[in-house]
Structure formats: C-alpha cells, structure tokens
Amino acid sequence: MKFFYLGFHLPESLIRRYPKQNGAGQLWEGRLLKHLGSDAEVRVASIVDRKLKLPDVERSNPQHCLLQGKLGKDLQAYPSFVRLRAKYLGWRRQGWKPDCFIVYNSHPIGSAFTRFLARHDRDVKRILLFLDSRHFGKNLPLLKRLRLKLKPLHWPDEAMLPYFCGVASASLSSKRFCRDQNIPWRWFPGGAQADGLLDSVQTPPADGITRIGYFGSHSDYAGLKDLLEAFAADPDLNLVLSIAGDGSKTGELQQRSASDPRIEWVGFLKERKDLGHWASSCHMLVNPRPAGYGNDNNFPSKVFDYLQLGRPILSSITPTLQHAFGDSVMWYNADRPSALSEALRRVSQKRISLLIQDGANLRGKYAQSFSWGEQIGGLKEWICQIR
C-alpha cells in the first residue's frame, strides 16, 4: 500500500537541530510514520515554521517535501499549496500514485490540497487525521464566522468533512458529524510506546511527601497555569509538584520554585531516558487540561507516556479520556473551579503505596491494547475497507 502523508513532522536532521520545535507532536508523528511505513511505502510533506533555517533535505530524501509557512498566515499558505501540488504532479508524471492521502488536522494547505485531490485523483482515498480543533462543533459568533469565511484557503472543519473518504479522530466529538454525513469514522487516539522509558524509570520511594509531576506545554490550553494557581491558593497542601518542560512560563517557574519549596522545576528534558529518570521520583502524574480551548476535540499524548511510565494519573475528565480509561484514572471536572484543588487534596491524603500499586495496575491493564502496533494495524485495516 502507498501512502502520502501531509503533516508537521521534521526529518531527523532537523529534529536534532531544533529539539524544542513541537516536541510532543514530533514524537507522535514520528511514531505514526514509523509504524505506517513498516509494511508500506510512505511519502511525506511537512509544514515547517518559515523562521527555521532549512538545509536541502530533499536532495538526500526526495520523498520528503518541506513546505515553509505559518498556519495562521493564510496568504503565506498559498505558495506552499502551489509547491505541494507541483511536487505531487511531478510524482504522478514519474508513475507514482498513492492509494491513500492522510492529512494531519484541517488547515489551509491541507484543505486546499484535499479539494484538489477530490477533483483530479478521486480514487485516492482521502483520510482526515482529526486530532485537534478549537472551532469544530462550536456555535461561533456571526462576526467570527464571517471573518473565517473571508480568509483565503480557509474552510471550516465541518465544511471540509464531505471531501474526505474517512475520518480517524483522536476524540469522540466528531463521530456524530461524520455519522450524519455517512462518512466512515474511526477512533484513533494514537499509541503508547515504551522506547527509552522502561530502562530508566524506577519505582519511586514509598515514604516521605507525595510527589506529583507534570511535563509538557506551558500554554494555557494545557492547564499548567491552573495547576500552579491551585498550589498557590492552598499553602497547606502537603504535596510536591515537579514540572518538566520549557516554554513561556520558564521565568515564572524559576521564581516559584525559589520561593515555594513545594514547586520544583527541572527544565527541558532532551531525551526519552531523561523523562524516565524524572518520573522515577514522582508518585502520580497530572493532566490538568482546563475546560474550553477545544480540549474536548483532542487526546493529550502525554497521557500515554504517563501510562507507559507506570504512574497513576490525575486528569480533568473528557468523554474521550473516560472512554479510554474508565474508572482507572482519578478524574476531576474542570468545569468546576474548585475541582482541581479538591482532587489534589484527595491525592495528598492517599497512601503512597496505594498510588504505586494504582500505577502498576493502570499500565498492566492498558499498555498493550494502546500500543502503536495495535493502533496502526487497526487503522490500516479500516482504510482498506473504505470504498
């Protein structure tokens, strides 16, 4: 089977040069492409930030096309679409044609190319990998809808659905929209992978103060701000919060860790083994995503790393996450302002030995069924069945 994939994955040489460039996404897409290409041919086009200095990657790897542009700048997207179309037509003239085109999320370049394929190569299966959207399924204000409609190369997610032969979605939110339009739909949250983790992670100490950990983005949608505010509002909370990662709150984290002994900032983790070493001191890991920000339309990949690390998880609840893990995760409702603080109190009152056992049980129950091999195998079978 031949795949053409449009996403944001950097070639290995650029990942080494820009290790902080969309770290979680690079890891996720890298695993996806590795398993997708295990028994198939995959050609890749990647949208990269126009500010990056790019070497001539395509000379050494002509099957990986780099498109410079910024997703929020639609006028910059048009030259990238033209280049992508020319690259594809060049492959077609050489006799190469994909069986399936997969696009990572809906964006101007991907939408324009999907519509082009629907007109010119209708027998190529067009699959939307729907992983995130702030607007999908929302009743936007009229002015916002008009602004989006006037943007070049911009079509709302719902308007693009009929151009796809199938939707593989990280969340359950898109299922009813696809069902209403008779578009094949599959739940695809990605997978859990232990590479580089299990050799370095160890069981945390079973005594002392309970330590919880967070790693990932500093952006508001990820919820680190809410987690820090919950600690600040409860000076008697008997927990230590260890934070890994680099971003916009680095300066604030340095100040907080200096003034509050319960806050520990360890900085950017360059290697997977570093993540394992860091998690060895944590008794529980936290996914504090707030309500809103389109978080009901995604599946945080860090949860799978938490799972592989063998730690229990404290997480805000979404239908998709609850569908994945049932009652095996400690949930709280992010719609209630006090819910996170109350959940942290519950964690502080639970015996460390029970937390350690909960983490082992969680990994034993779910790690295999959510492996990348299982997930990609199911995705390929589903794509083959689409007519």
Side-chain angles (χ1 to χ4, degrees):
M1 197 170 188
K2 298 175 183 176
F3 290 95
F4 180 32
Y5 176 84
L6 174 60
F8 306 91
H9 183 64
L10 296 177
E12 201 64 39
S13 59
L14 287 184
I15 292 177
R16 289 193 296 269
R17 182 179 295 191
Y18 301 106
K20 296 181 182 180
Q21 188 72 23
N22 190 21
Q26 292 300 328
L27 196 61
W28 195 97
E29 284 188 276
R31 292 167 178 167
L32 169 77
L33 292 171
K34 176 184 176 182
H35 286 85
L36 197 63
S38 62
D39 59 357
E41 181 184 353
V42 182
R43 297 194 179 187
V44 179
S46 299
I47 303 167
V48 299
D49 195 310
R50 63 191 178 90
K51 292 182 289 187
L52 300 187
K53 294 181 179 179
L54 302 180
D56 189 0
V57 173
E58 293 180 43
R59 182 174 298 178
S60 59
N61 184 3
Q63 296 182 1
H64 198 143
C65 172
L66 294 182
L67 307 167
Q68 283 189 301
K70 206 167 185 178
L71 290 185
K73 306 294 184 182
D74 297 313
L75 288 175
Q76 297 169 4
Y78 185 75
S80 291
F81 160 64
V82 171
R83 184 164 183 268
L84 177 63
R85 182 179 60 189
K87 185 75 171 180
Y88 177 80
L89 291 175
W91 286 338
R92 293 287 282 113
R93 285 191 295 271
Q94 295 169 7
W96 187 85
K97 181 180 179 180
D99 302 294
C100 178
F101 168 66
I102 299 177
V103 59
Y104 183 114
N105 270 346
S106 182
H107 47 77
I109 300 171
S111 296
F113 188 76
T114 300
R115 295 165 79 98
F116 162 76
L117 268 188
R119 293 192 303 270
H120 295 281
D121 266 344
R122 294 183 60 85
D123 56 334
V124 175
K125 295 177 183 179
R126 302 171 303 280
I127 303 297
L128 172 62
L129 202 55
F130 184 74
L131 303 176
D132 196 10
S133 174
R134 287 197 174 198
H135 299 144
F136 187 80
K138 310 298 184 198
N139 291 319
L140 299 177
L142 177 60
L143 188 58
K144 177 76 170 178
R145 293 201 305 271
L146 289 174
R147 279 180 52 232
L148 292 176
K149 197 168 184 178
L150 292 173
K151 285 187 174 183
L153 293 187
H154 192 286
W155 297 272
D157 294 336
E158 291 90 338
M160 281 301 302
L161 282 182
Y163 287 88
F164 290 100
C165 306
V167 174
S169 177
S171 77
L172 304 179
S173 62
S174 60
K175 184 176 183 179
R176 64 185 178 92
F177 294 93
C178 294
R179 182 186 58 215
D180 292 345
Q181 300 189 48
N182 294 318
I183 299 169
W185 181 93
R186 180 179 179 82
W187 183 46
F188 183 73
Q193 188 155 324
D195 61 313
L197 290 181
L198 299 189
D199 292 338
S200 57
V201 69
Q202 298 179 16
T203 302
D207 54 6
I209 297 177
T210 301
R211 294 172 56 88
I212 64 173
Y214 169 89
F215 79 86
S217 173
H218 292 186
S219 300
D220 288 348
Y221 78 85
L224 177 58
K225 174 184 174 183
D226 300 319
L227 190 55
L228 291 170
E229 287 178 352
F231 264 77
D234 191 350
D236 296 325
L237 183 63
N238 193 28
L239 291 173
V240 171
L241 170 62
S242 181
I243 302 167
D246 198 9
S248 60
K249 294 189 183 299
T250 294
E252 178 185 344
L253 290 173
Q254 290 173 326
Q255 293 176 0
R256 291 214 187 198
S257 61
S259 61
D260 188 340
R262 300 174 304 162
I263 305 294
E264 173 187 274
W265 178 66
V266 300
F268 180 67
L269 303 176
K270 293 183 179 180
E271 304 287 343
R272 292 281 285 168
K273 67 177 186 296
D274 297 333
L275 179 58
H277 287 307
W278 166 76
S280 295
S281 68
C282 298
H283 301 106
M284 180 172 242
L285 299 173
V286 190
N287 172 51
R289 294 203 171 188
Y293 298 95
N295 280 333
D296 52 341
N297 287 326
N298 61 38
F299 191 102
S301 60
K302 67 163 61 70
V303 172
F304 281 141
D305 283 328
Y306 289 177
L307 170 67
Q308 285 290 10
L309 287 163
R311 296 296 181 266
I313 299 170
L314 170 65
S315 175
S316 55
I317 191 168
T318 67
T320 304
L321 284 170
Q322 190 173 38
H323 175 76
F325 299 116
D327 295 329
S328 299
V329 166
M330 184 182 289
W331 304 111
Y332 69 91
N333 185 353
D335 288 317
R336 285 199 309 111
S338 62
L340 177 55
S341 295
E342 293 167 4
L344 292 172
R345 278 280 177 178
R346 293 200 306 272
V347 173
S348 70
Q349 294 164 5
K350 191 164 184 174
R351 281 169 37 202
I352 289 177
S353 59
L354 294 179
L355 290 174
I356 293 173
Q357 187 59 52
D358 287 347
N361 292 342
L362 183 69
R363 187 178 191 281
K365 187 174 181 179
Y366 293 105
Q368 181 56 40
S369 60
F370 282 114
S371 71
W372 271 103
E374 292 285 333
Q375 291 294 308
I376 291 294
L379 180 69
K380 287 179 176 177
E381 288 182 16
W382 171 74
I383 290 173
C384 288
Q385 293 168 5
I386 293 175
R387 294 290 180 259

